[in-house]
């Protein structure tokens, strides 16, 4: 029996709203607070990697039936964050920043896949033969 299935507020729509709001907030913070980025140091430090991991997890929970869309969403999110950082500060960073962002998003997707098995009921899961 799934552990979190009986919580009434958890639904696909709820996770979609949270995931898209979170990704939009990451991009907005990148544009808005350049002085915060300078205080934390490197553009892709531990905080941003953790934020992208959470974004990947939320995206996977929002779209449990389409892992390919989730991966494309994270690729687009990392590129949008890189572009917003470039437009806001004029510094494009290095290609290692994008690689770290992609790996962080992938870890989040894997964590979200594990959590989605706990949240979704057994009847909603598709069986592949």
């Amino acid at each position: 029996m799934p552990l979190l299935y009986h919580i009434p507020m958890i639904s696909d729509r709820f996770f979609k709203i949270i995931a898209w709001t979170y990704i939009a907030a990451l991009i907005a913070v990148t544009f808005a607070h350049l002085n915060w980025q300078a205080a934390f140091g490197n553009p892709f430090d531990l905080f941003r990697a953790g934020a992208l991991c959470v974004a990947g997890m939320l995206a996977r929970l929002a779209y449990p039936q389409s892992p390919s869309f989730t991966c494309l969403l994270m690729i687009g999110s990392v590129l949008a964050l890189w572009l917003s950082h470039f437009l806001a500060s004029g510094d494009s960073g290095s290609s290692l920043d994008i690689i770290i962002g992609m790996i962080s998003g992938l870890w989040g997707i894997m964590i979200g896949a594990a959590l989605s098995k706990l949240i979704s009921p057994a009847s909603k899961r598709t069986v592949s033969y």
Side-chain angles (χ1 to χ4, degrees):
M1 178 144 225
L3 298 174
L4 299 175
Y5 176 67
H6 295 292
I7 299 173
M9 66 180 232
I10 295 179
S11 69
D12 291 340
R13 185 176 205 167
F14 173 75
F15 279 124
K16 287 177 184 174
I17 291 169
I18 295 297
W20 284 102
T21 304
Y22 186 80
I23 291 169
L26 283 178
I27 294 170
V29 166
T30 302
F31 273 124
H33 299 290
L34 290 177
N35 55 351
W36 286 3
Q37 291 176 6
F40 286 130
N42 196 0
F44 262 100
D45 54 1
L46 187 60
F47 297 111
R48 186 162 304 177
L52 286 169
C53 184
V54 170
M57 180 190 67
L58 290 173
R60 182 68 173 132
L61 290 172
Y63 298 99
Q65 299 299 328
S66 58
S68 59
F69 176 73
T70 306
C71 290
L72 289 174
L73 179 63
M74 285 314 302
I75 290 169
S77 298
V78 169
L79 293 177
L81 282 170
W82 176 82
L83 181 64
S84 63
H85 181 76
F86 176 72
L87 292 175
S89 68
D91 179 29
S92 64
S94 67
S95 58
L96 184 62
D97 295 339
I98 294 175
I99 292 169
I100 291 171
M102 296 291 180
I103 290 171
S104 301
L106 180 63
W107 273 103
I109 289 171
M110 290 189 302
I111 293 169
L115 287 176
S116 71
K117 291 184 181 188
L118 293 173
I119 292 172
S120 67
S123 62
K124 279 184 146 181
R125 293 186 201 145
T126 59
V127 178
S128 60
Y129 295 99

